[in-house]
Amino acid sequence: MHHGKVSLLWNLGSGTTRLQFPETDIANNRWTKINATRFGAHAALSVHQLDSESTPLPAVTSSSPGSSRVLDIDKNTVIHIGGMGADTQRPAALHSSSFQGCLGEASLNERNIGLWSYDSREGKCGGCFSSPQAEETSFYFDGSGFSVVQKSLRATSTSIVLLFKTLSPGGLLLYLASNNTRDFLSLELVEGHVRLTFDLGSGALIQTSNRKYNTGVWYKVTLQRNKRKGYLSIMAAGQSSEKEVLEAESPGTASDLNRYDLDPIYIGGFPFSRPIRRQVVSRAYVGCIKNVEIARSNFDLLKDAYGVRKGCVLKAVRSVSLLSGGFVQISPPSFSQEAELLFTFSSVNQSGVLLAAFSDDRAHRQYFLSLHLVSGMVEAELGDLGGATRKVLVKKANGGSFSDGREHSVIITVNRKSLSLLVDDEHLKSVSLMPGGFSRLSPSSLFIGGLPPEKASRLPVRLRVLSQWFRGCIQHLVMGGALVDLSVAVRYKGAELNSCLLEKSTVGAVLPEDLDAKPTPDPAHLHLAPPTHRSALTAAALTCASDQEPSLLPSAAQFGLSRHSHMTFIINPSAVRKSVSVRMLVRSQALDGLMFLLSDSKQMDFVVLSLKGGRVMLSADLGKGPSSIVSSVAVNDGRWHIVSAEVSRKSVSVIVDDSPPASIPIKGNQLDVDKTLFLGGLPHGVNSRRISVSSSFPGCIRSVSLNGTTLDLSKPNSRDDVTSCFSKDQKGSYFNGSGHAELNKTEVVVFGPESEKETAQARF
């Protein structure tokens, strides 16, 4: 900013260019939105004050000199916001190196910049007393997670209302199923269409909307199911005149959707490691959801969620992975005196079509523009099918290949005189065109990453074989000086939008069709195959053998395989009304986790034993306020420790091994709790705000007794993500030959034998 006016400066190596927005003075203490874009040598700048009632002024544009098109940055590049450091050399063309005022909602390449998660700062930086962002009640799902809610539903009817907004053509909006029947219900987007699927046990009903709804505006979906009849309506929010209604009946005679009250309902995604009904197309969702109402109940989608945040800022789809001979068709731009297309690609295939455009038939002559990989080289060809063509070929230096799996930038420029191809801002080739050659190309269709079979014949014979060979990623396509949003594609096939992969991702687990009434095995009940005896191994194999075969402790339970790993036991509440005495052996290397809980439904009265900072913490409330005490010694050293806890009408005390008891007084007459005892953690949906601990206990527990009565850990009332403990505690993972592990950037999922069911999960 200089004299109240906003300017954009850039230098790609051929000289500095300044672009100023002259119409708006922003030095008036009002929130102003600034949008600056640069594609190659061309830049645009727009400035608009948010509280202004006038129409935003058009952006100003300019181009930098020279042939350079790429801004060279790397992992060491630093972003300065609000000023420049004292040790940073200021470009000569910059009038000022500081800013006084408020900044908010900064983003770079459509990614938010956390202004308070800075690497370093200089001078005084404080918060602002106002924000340009209005409070939102919507929730944004980034495609990596989901929200989980619970609701008791009538078996004969289902009522669901939600609003969604997205640019992505595919995504899972809602999924509910039972763990021990084939019954399920799902709402999802498939190629932009809303699809309802439900199966009551005698066959699936699939209803798909005629219109597409991935347009970036809010749509309201209403689902009403009465026995076998399904009613689905979709309309733009507040515009009932544009409502689309679908009605149908599910096949067969089954009319009830059977599930347990505590079976989770997934919104905006589904865990990749868990099996899903094969009729469901998507496991993830990128977009916004709000006002979810299930059986007339509303839900906070942040309460139990992963990959979800409050607010709604949609991100356009800028990338596509083509992994199975697919393609994406988009609406072509109108070429004027010059056409410039920019994009990046990465691939390990030596050949394939990157981009192809075709003109309308003119007097039985067909004109085309094709950009493709040929034996690791990038080639562009423009001309008349069956007639004269011009082409230009760019080779990588020293005989290298552009099909090396790395990102490569491509800029193709076509005007009345020449066809130019620039790869990675250093390999430039041009060829002159015949008079009028470019003017004949008025594209009516444009394809990315490949061609449908009916279009392959519009390429020269030598290129037709390449039409479905490309495997890899294409992203950041720029046409007409603007980034292309691939979510508005005319059509696509064999493509994964909003991803950038070089090979197919692993397909998630799918439940078999013959699931009928057979429960999914509990991971904790899966029997481990016995370790291979050393006598059965060859001498070579013994060079890396363990000195001792690992053994299991049959009386101990391993918790912490997931956040909600736990056991439950049924007790007599009157037996703990006057006093509670808990004794157990624990082994862990963790800092925090829930070991034991007794409480009423609202947690007004409770006794909770937990790990806090590696020490044992006992908290209790007999109805007149909580009291808490922490052990004097830590127990997170990987060894077994005896933990004893006592709660009476006068005091609470905790003892670890032979350490002196720690005790404090407590107020109250009696403990009024429910009949359920939680050991090792809490299930989904159980409120844990008052006890201030929600994660399960990452470790082993054995020899648990309550008021002198031993709990049989092999026969709990229920259990989830609990397995056996090894006799010896060691760091690492043990593989016994009956399972395997799958690793990605966010989690490690371990699968056991036979059912391939998830048995352990750890996030890092």
Side-chain angles (χ1 to χ4, degrees):
M1 180 180 69
H2 184 61
H3 295 313
K5 303 297 175 66
V6 178
S7 296
L8 171 66
L9 289 81
W10 75 100
N11 189 333
L12 306 180
S14 303
T16 300
T17 303
R18 175 183 292 272
L19 177 60
Q20 186 182 70
F21 198 89
E23 304 296 332
T24 304
D25 189 331
I26 70 169
N28 53 15
N29 202 32
R30 296 160 60 189
W31 280 109
T32 304
K33 182 178 181 179
I34 302 171
N35 188 34
T37 60
R38 181 195 64 84
F39 303 113
H42 311 296
L45 175 66
S46 64
V47 178
H48 176 65
Q49 301 207 301
L50 296 181
D51 59 359
S52 175
E53 297 181 358
S54 60
T55 304
L57 297 172
V60 295
T61 61
S62 184
S63 300
S64 57
S67 59
S68 296
R69 295 290 186 271
V70 174
L71 179 67
D72 290 326
I73 59 175
D74 55 31
K75 295 181 179 179
N76 298 318
T77 299
V78 177
I79 302 174
H80 297 270
I81 297 178
M84 300 179 66
D87 298 330
T88 304
Q89 183 177 358
R90 188 178 77 179
L94 198 63
H95 293 310
S96 176
S97 60
S98 63
F99 171 78
Q100 185 174 357
C102 286
L103 294 171
E105 299 185 11
S107 64
L108 177 64
N109 287 352
E110 300 179 331
R111 294 187 177 183
N112 292 333
I113 300 175
L115 298 182
W116 289 101
S117 58
Y118 47 77
D119 181 66
S120 64
R121 78 174 189 183
E122 293 185 15
K124 294 183 179 181
C125 300
C128 292
F129 290 101
S130 63
S131 169
Q133 182 178 10
E135 185 69 17
E136 293 245 16
T137 57
S138 56
F139 302 91
Y140 177 75
F141 293 75
D142 64 11
S144 67
F146 46 84
S147 178
V148 180
V149 301
Q150 288 181 327
K151 175 64 179 176
S152 174
L153 301 176
R154 295 176 60 185
T156 56
S157 63
T158 308
S159 174
I160 297 172
V161 180
L162 62 83
L163 279 80
F164 75 91
K165 179 169 71 171
T166 185
L167 295 169
S168 299
L172 183 61
L173 297 173
L174 182 143
Y175 178 79
L176 63 89
S178 172
N179 200 35
N180 68 338
T181 73
R182 64 184 300 169
D183 297 8
F184 80 97
L185 183 147
S186 67
L187 273 172
E188 58 182 330
L189 282 171
V190 179
E191 297 186 3
H193 302 274
V194 175
R195 176 178 293 181
L196 164 67
T197 307
F198 65 82
D199 189 339
L200 307 179
S202 55
L205 168 67
I206 300 177
Q207 292 179 284
T208 305
S209 67
N210 296 314
R211 305 172 194 166
K212 292 186 176 183
Y213 293 95
N214 59 322
T215 60
V217 301
W218 284 108
Y219 288 103
K220 181 179 181 181
V221 177
T222 302
L223 163 66
Q224 297 289 340
R225 182 191 66 85
N226 184 17
K227 296 185 178 180
R228 293 172 48 229
K229 294 182 179 180
Y231 170 91
L232 180 69
S233 72
I234 313 109
M235 67 178 187
Q239 299 181 18
S240 58
S241 59
E242 299 292 328
K243 182 187 296 185
E244 181 179 359
V245 177
L246 303 171
E247 295 183 78
E249 287 190 6
S250 62
T253 58
S255 59
D256 290 355
L257 180 61
N258 297 301
R259 56 185 295 275
Y260 293 118
D261 291 345
L262 294 181
D263 281 341
I265 301 174
Y266 291 92
I267 297 172
F270 188 76
F272 184 80
S273 57
R274 296 187 180 274
I276 196 170
R277 303 306 191 269
R278 62 179 64 254
Q279 293 91 342
V280 181
V281 177
S282 301
R283 286 176 176 262
Y285 171 71
V286 178
C288 303
I289 296 177
K290 67 177 181 179
N291 299 351
V292 175
E293 182 181 300
I294 303 174
R296 299 185 179 182
S297 296
N298 300 105
F299 300 92
D300 178 5
L301 300 186
L302 284 181
K303 185 177 180 181
D304 194 355
Y306 173 68
V308 184
R309 65 173 182 265
K310 193 173 183 181
C312 180
V313 179
L314 288 184
K315 295 182 179 180
V317 178
R318 305 299 189 196
S319 60
V320 59
S321 302
L322 300 121
L323 308 170
S324 56
F327 65 89
V328 177
Q329 181 181 357
I330 61 176
S331 299
S334 56
F335 292 160
S336 55
Q337 298 296 318
E338 182 177 83
E340 185 175 72
L341 293 89
L342 303 82
F343 65 90
T344 62
F345 78 91
S346 52
S347 177
V348 293
N349 266 36
Q350 295 296 308
S351 302
V353 170
L354 297 169
L355 183 147
F358 303 100
S359 65
D360 293 324
D361 292 351
R362 295 183 179 179
H364 305 293
R365 303 187 71 178
Q366 299 176 344
Y367 296 92
F368 72 93
L369 170 65
S370 176
L371 187 64
H372 40 268
L373 281 169
V374 179
S375 300
M377 300 173 286
V378 181
E379 183 181 67
E381 186 168 354
L382 172 69
D384 172 14
L385 181 63
T389 66
R390 301 288 284 171
K391 58 185 177 182
V392 58
L393 181 68
V394 172
K395 301 179 180 180
K396 197 170 185 180
N398 302 320
S401 171
F402 291 111
S403 302
D404 53 7
R406 299 179 180 178
E407 285 191 8
H408 298 284
S409 64
V410 177
I411 301 177
I412 181 170
T413 306
V414 190
N415 54 39
R416 297 182 181 275
K417 294 183 179 180
S418 64
L419 168 66
S420 300
L421 180 61
L422 176 65
V423 182
D424 292 340
D425 202 38
E426 59 184 16
H427 308 282
L428 175 64
K429 295 290 183 180
S430 299
V431 63
S432 59
L433 298 179
M434 296 174 291
F438 171 67
S439 62
R440 296 191 183 100
L441 180 65
S442 178
S444 59
S445 57
L446 192 147
F447 298 88
I448 303 170
L451 295 172
E454 68 272 13
K455 289 292 184 179
S457 60
R458 299 191 62 177
L459 288 177
V461 175
R462 71 180 187 89
L463 297 178
R464 293 175 188 174
V465 70
L466 306 180
S467 63
Q468 295 186 339
W469 278 15
F470 180 76
R471 302 288 189 277
C473 169
I474 296 177
Q475 57 184 333
H476 309 315
L477 174 64
V478 177
M479 298 190 303
L483 273 168
V484 175
D485 182 2
L486 298 179
S487 70
V488 297
V490 176
R491 59 173 174 152
Y492 59 91
K493 184 177 181 181
E496 292 186 22
L497 297 183
N498 211 35
S499 70
C500 191
L501 306 171
L502 298 183
E503 57 185 25
K504 287 186 178 181
S505 56
T506 304
V507 178
V510 176
L511 288 176
E513 291 288 356
D514 56 349
L515 190 65
D516 292 322
K518 184 178 180 181
T520 302
D522 187 330
H525 293 147
L526 297 175
H527 298 291
L528 293 173
T532 302
H533 290 280
R534 295 179 63 182
S535 59
L537 300 175
T538 63
L542 287 173
T543 57
C544 194
S546 172
D547 288 338
Q548 284 188 332
E549 297 171 357
S551 59
L552 301 176
L553 290 174
S555 60
Q558 166 79 52
F559 298 89
L561 303 181
S562 70
R563 180 181 178 184
H564 297 286
S565 167
H566 72 279
M567 283 184 178
T568 65
F569 297 86
I570 303 301
I571 67 164
N572 181 4
S574 62
V576 295
R577 189 165 293 165
K578 295 182 179 180
S579 65
V580 177
S581 175
V582 181
R583 186 181 187 276
M584 65 177 69
L585 273 71
V586 299
R587 186 182 71 187
S588 178
Q589 296 186 15
L591 292 174
D592 303 284
L594 177 68
M595 294 188 286
F596 174 95
L597 173 66
L598 285 174
S599 74
D600 61 0
S601 59
K602 296 183 179 180
Q603 292 181 355
M604 301 303 294
D605 286 21
F606 62 80
V607 173
V608 58
L609 197 61
S610 61
L611 198 61
K612 206 77 171 179
R615 299 174 185 267
V616 178
M617 179 176 180
L618 173 63
S619 300
D621 192 332
L622 303 183
K624 294 187 177 182
S627 296
S628 299
I629 188 73
V630 179
S631 67
S632 58
V633 296
V635 297
N636 61 335
D637 55 3
R639 298 178 180 178
W640 286 106
H641 294 276
I642 302 173
V643 175
S644 300
E646 304 279 347
V647 179
S648 67
R649 297 178 181 180
K650 296 182 179 181
S651 65
V652 296
S653 62
V654 62
I655 303 173
V656 175
D657 298 328
D658 297 325
S659 64
S663 178
I664 59 170
I666 189 172
K667 296 180 180 180
N669 295 320
Q670 63 183 27
L671 178 69
D672 295 316
V673 295
D674 294 338
K675 63 181 180 179
T676 303
L677 182 157
F678 297 98
L679 185 68
L682 296 175
H684 282 287
V686 175
N687 187 5
S688 60
R689 292 180 181 177
R690 285 213 70 207
I691 63 175
S692 302
V693 57
S694 59
S695 296
S696 62
F697 174 71
C700 291
I701 297 177
R702 67 174 179 172
S703 303
V704 182
S705 65
L706 174 64
N707 287 358
T709 302
T710 301
L711 302 182
D712 188 350
L713 301 190
S714 66
K715 297 179 180 179
N717 180 60
S718 67
R719 63 194 292 165
D720 184 38
D721 278 345
V722 181
T723 188
S724 301
C725 288
F726 289 108
S727 300
K728 183 180 179 182
D729 183 39
Q730 303 179 63
K731 293 183 178 180
S733 299
Y734 172 63
F735 293 81
N736 66 2
S738 63
H740 68 279
E742 295 180 2
L743 291 80
N744 56 43
K745 291 182 179 179
T746 58
E747 62 183 11
V748 179
V749 184
V750 181
F751 293 81
E754 298 178 0
S755 68
E756 298 296 315
K757 179 71 174 177
E758 176 190 1
T759 61
Q761 179 171 312
R763 301 189 182 277
F764 58 91

